[in-house]
């Protein structure tokens, strides 16, 4: 088996055992990127010398007899919304074109400390606003299963890179579904940790009360290893949780669901869901039951109001966060020819630098926060948020985890929803409640839809700091289905 087809855990073991060098592993992935990324467009920035330099440093540490962790020498694709001192950071926006951050995000720093080799920065919807990666200022990313379809979003570059074997691991951020939804539609594993379980320091902010960094991988154990590598308390993030990281690696190894109480969310899975998605979902629930889980239906009535509440809260926070792009501090500056006021330059820069979806969010958010409307919109949405958290709380008195399809449909064609924001927003129907309540959820592949042969994801939701339960259930599903797919689900991907 070639190096690019190995898991992160296998690559880490090979490097630790001295069987292959980190440089060889990095080179194999750089070659793969050179071969397929012109078609996939998962990466916004790849710097061969910087990558090989990191790999050489890992090899030197090994040669010096240092005890390297399980992921040392393993390549990773890093979402271009985390700051990196040695690579540009654009957030998929023209307004940050050419921006070089003066510091590393905490997630970036921890990747380096774990000896992970950062291959480059991945494409995303501008400022992580979107579900298809079509909102990137740098062109869309394509789904490795079908190059005419989207890889999901906003972390679509990260999902596509892993699905296309350009990297065994990648990072994402999930504000409303941006890790779980792209993972589902590209047939890989994606985890949104408990809010505050992974650091936002150095993450370019979209909606600060929702933004959560998390891992992508081709299997559950690799995702758990990466989760543990960059999670945990960070004094630089005021909302970081000061508690031990849930034992997700242990849970991924365990994968036992006997006696586990699983709740099927009644509100998710009716009209508007693709038949093939529902078929795979229900089969997987039955499978879990056959493995000894106790399955019941659970009603969470306020989940149906999560989407409108999110589209008030997230744009409100975005309108405030994006005010910092004022033409003075970062990146682009337009019209500064000595004749214009600072205000005019700012207006021209923001008009030229932000794309249409980002402008829509800023306008929506500014409106929702404006005096006279604040209580009717933002205040109301915050109340809905409380109701959703209460629904979760009540549900987790009855069951250990909740399950649903990750997203109502498989990957849709590029262009299909680009001019229909409402259709685009619906991709996150099932993922958003978890962001509003701050708990943990994972998406794990559970088969292919009959209509189109495209991957379907199962979403497993757990209470705050119950991240390990997500991995336990995901590992059970992965193990039970493994046999059916021979070389893994991705071996069925026809495009590459
Ligand atoms: N698709 C959702 C949005 O556009 C969620 C994005 C995200 O999680 N970053 O806001």
């Amino acid at each position: 088996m070639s190096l690019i087809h190995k898991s992160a855990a296998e690559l880490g073991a090979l490097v630790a055992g001295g069987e292959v060098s980190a440089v060889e592993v990095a080179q194999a992935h750089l070659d793969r990127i050179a071969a397929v990324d012109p078609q996939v467009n998962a990466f916004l920035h790849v710097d061969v010398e910087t990558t090989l330099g990191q790999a050489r440093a890992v090899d030197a540490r090994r040669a010096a007899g240092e005890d390297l962790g399980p992921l040392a020498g393993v390549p990773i694709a890093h979402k271009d919304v985390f700051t990196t001192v040695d690579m540009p950071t654009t957030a998929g926006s023209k307004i940050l074109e050419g921006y070089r951050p003066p510091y590393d995000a905490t997630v970036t720093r921890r990747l380096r400390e774990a000896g992970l080799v950062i291959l480059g920065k991945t494409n995303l919807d501008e400022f992580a606003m979107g579900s298809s990666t079509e909102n990137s200022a740098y062109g869309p990313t394509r789904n490795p299963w079908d190059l005419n379809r989207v890889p999901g979003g906003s972390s679509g570059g990260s999902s596509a890179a892993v699905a296309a074997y350009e990297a065994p691991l990648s990072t994402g951020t999930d504000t409303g579904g941006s890790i779980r939804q792209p993972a589902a539609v590209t047939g890989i594993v994606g985890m949104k940790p408990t809010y505050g379980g992974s650091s936002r320091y150095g993450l370019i902010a979209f909606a600060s009360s929702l933004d959560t960094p998390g891992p992508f991988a081709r299997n559950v154990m690799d995702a758990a290893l990466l989760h543990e590598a960059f999670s945990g308390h960070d004094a630089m993030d005021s909302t970081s949780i000061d508690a031990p990281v849930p034992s997700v690696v242990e849970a991924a190894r365990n994968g036992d669901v006997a006696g586990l109480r699983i709740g099927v969310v009644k509100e998710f899975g009716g009209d508007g869901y693709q038949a093939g998605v529902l078929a795979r979902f229900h089969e997987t629930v039955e499978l879990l039951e056959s493995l000894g889980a106790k399955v019941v239906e659970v009603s969470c009535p306020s989940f149906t109001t999560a989407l409108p509440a999110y589209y008030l809260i997230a744009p409100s926070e975005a309108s405030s966060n994006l005010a910092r792009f004022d033409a003075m501090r970062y990146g682009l500056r337009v019209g500064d020819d000595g004749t214009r006021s600072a205000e005019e330059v700012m207006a021209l820069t923001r008009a030229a630098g932000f794309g249409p979806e980002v402008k829509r969010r800023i306008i929506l958010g500014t409106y929702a926060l404006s005096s006279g409307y604040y209580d009717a919109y933002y205040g109301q949405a915050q109340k809905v948020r409380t109701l959703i958290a209460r629904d979760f709380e009540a549900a987790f008195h009855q069951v250990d985890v909740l399950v649903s399809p990750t997203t109502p449909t498989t990957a849709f064609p590029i262009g299909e929803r680009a001019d229909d924001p409402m259709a685009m927003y619906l991709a996150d129907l099932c993922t958003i409640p978890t962001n509003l309540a701050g708990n943990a959820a994972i998406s794990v592949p559970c088969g292919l839809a009959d209509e189109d042969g495209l991957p379907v994801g199962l979403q497993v939701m757990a209470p705050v700091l119950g991240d390990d339960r997500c991995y336990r259930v995901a590992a059970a599903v992965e193990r039970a289905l493994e046999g059916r797919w021979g070389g893994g689900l991705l071996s069925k991907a026809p495009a590459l």
Side-chain angles (χ1 to χ4, degrees):
M1 201 200 280
S2 64
L3 288 175
I4 60 163
H5 293 105
K6 293 200 184 297
S7 70
E10 287 167 339
L11 292 172
L14 288 173
V15 172
E19 285 158 74
V20 285
S21 68
V23 168
E24 285 172 272
V25 176
Q27 191 59 55
H29 288 87
L30 289 168
D31 291 347
R32 175 69 175 170
I33 293 170
V36 303
D37 214 54
Q39 295 174 76
V40 178
N41 195 32
F43 284 90
L44 293 178
H45 179 82
V46 179
D47 177 341
V48 173
E49 270 320 302
T50 305
T51 300
L52 293 176
Q54 296 172 62
R56 272 183 221 115
V58 171
D59 287 333
R61 280 169 60 188
R62 211 196 80 81
E66 253 186 72
D67 189 14
L68 304 175
L71 296 179
V74 178
I76 186 164
H78 202 19
K79 186 175 181 181
D80 199 24
V81 73
F82 293 100
T83 57
T84 40
V85 280
D86 53 357
M87 296 179 188
T89 302
T90 67
S93 182
K94 278 267 176 280
I95 213 156
L96 278 173
E97 195 160 19
Y99 173 60
R100 289 267 179 171
Y103 69 105
D104 273 341
T106 296
V107 168
T108 308
R109 180 170 59 75
R110 290 189 180 164
L111 298 182
R112 297 192 202 279
E113 285 167 0
L116 282 146
V117 174
I118 302 172
L119 292 165
K121 305 295 290 288
T122 57
N123 200 8
L124 67 154
D125 285 301
E126 186 177 1
F127 288 106
M129 296 174 189
S131 304
S132 67
T133 318
E134 291 165 292
N135 295 336
S136 168
Y138 304 99
T141 297
R142 292 168 183 277
N143 191 322
W145 286 78
D146 175 349
L147 296 172
N148 294 315
R149 292 183 188 251
V150 304
S154 65
S155 316
S158 288
S159 63
V162 169
Y165 294 93
E166 294 172 89
L169 298 172
S170 61
T171 58
T173 56
D174 193 311
T175 302
S178 278
I179 293 174
R180 290 161 286 161
Q181 184 262 1
V185 302
T186 56
I188 65 171
V189 179
M191 171 76 186
K192 185 206 100 71
T194 295
Y195 177 80
S198 49
S199 171
R200 291 183 297 105
Y201 181 68
L203 164 64
I204 296 177
F206 165 11
S208 306
S209 76
L210 304 164
D211 296 342
T212 313
F216 285 102
R218 287 190 294 266
N219 67 70
V220 176
M221 177 55 83
D222 282 0
L225 288 167
L226 179 56
H227 184 132
E228 282 200 6
F230 67 64
S231 300
H233 183 244
D234 179 15
M236 300 302 281
D237 173 356
S238 63
T239 58
S240 168
I241 298 175
D242 194 358
V245 179
S247 328
V248 295
V249 170
E250 173 55 34
R253 199 170 287 134
N254 172 307
D256 180 10
V257 293
L260 197 78
R261 297 166 305 164
I262 297 182
V264 175
V265 179
K266 183 168 164 251
E267 284 71 18
F268 291 150
D271 288 347
Y273 288 72
Q274 193 176 321
V277 168
L278 291 181
R280 291 300 87 82
F281 171 67
H282 292 303
E283 278 169 24
T284 310
V285 171
E286 279 168 29
L287 175 77
L288 287 165
E289 209 164 12
S290 75
L291 295 172
K294 296 195 186 74
V295 178
V296 292
E297 192 177 71
V298 175
S299 178
C300 298
S302 62
F303 283 13
T304 54
T305 54
L307 197 72
Y310 172 86
Y311 278 98
L312 287 164
I313 292 168
S316 294
E317 294 187 19
S319 69
S320 161
N321 274 327
L322 270 54
R324 63 169 63 88
F325 301 104
D326 58 2
M328 302 299 142
R329 284 181 280 193
Y330 310 92
L332 189 73
R333 184 178 298 173
V334 176
D336 185 16
D337 59 5
T339 69
R340 293 190 175 90
S341 70
E343 220 169 19
E344 285 168 324
V345 171
M346 179 163 90
L348 287 171
T349 303
R350 287 169 68 89
F354 289 138
E357 183 61 28
V358 172
K359 286 178 184 158
R360 180 182 294 119
R361 306 277 179 116
I362 292 173
I363 292 167
L364 263 172
T366 306
Y367 184 79
L369 291 177
S370 57
S371 90
Y373 296 98
Y374 186 94
D375 288 339
Y377 295 117
Y378 186 75
Q380 199 71 8
Q382 290 291 16
K383 287 180 190 157
V384 170
R385 191 169 184 176
T386 303
L387 294 177
I388 288 164
R390 282 192 197 147
D391 272 6
F392 270 117
E393 217 179 329
F396 291 132
H397 279 302
Q398 292 178 61
V399 294
D400 302 304
V401 295
L402 291 168
V403 293
S404 76
T406 304
T407 183
T409 69
T410 55
F412 45 90
I414 291 176
E416 188 183 83
R417 300 189 191 180
D419 301 321
D420 187 351
M422 283 310 292
M424 190 69 87
Y425 297 172
L426 282 171
D428 295 306
L429 192 63
C430 307
T431 48
I432 281 176
T434 297
N435 296 85
L436 291 174
N439 55 315
I442 200 166
S443 179
V444 63
C446 67
L448 305 178
D450 306 309
E451 311 83 283
D452 49 25
L454 292 169
V456 177
L458 170 79
Q459 178 179 222
V460 184
M461 297 164 268
V464 166
L465 290 178
D467 305 41
D468 49 329
R469 294 186 199 173
C470 297
Y471 283 95
R472 207 166 125 196
V473 178
V477 170
E478 180 180 70
R479 234 164 264 173
L481 294 179
E482 223 156 30
R484 281 188 212 178
W485 297 324
L489 183 67
L490 282 163
S491 64
K492 306 275 176 277
L496 289 167

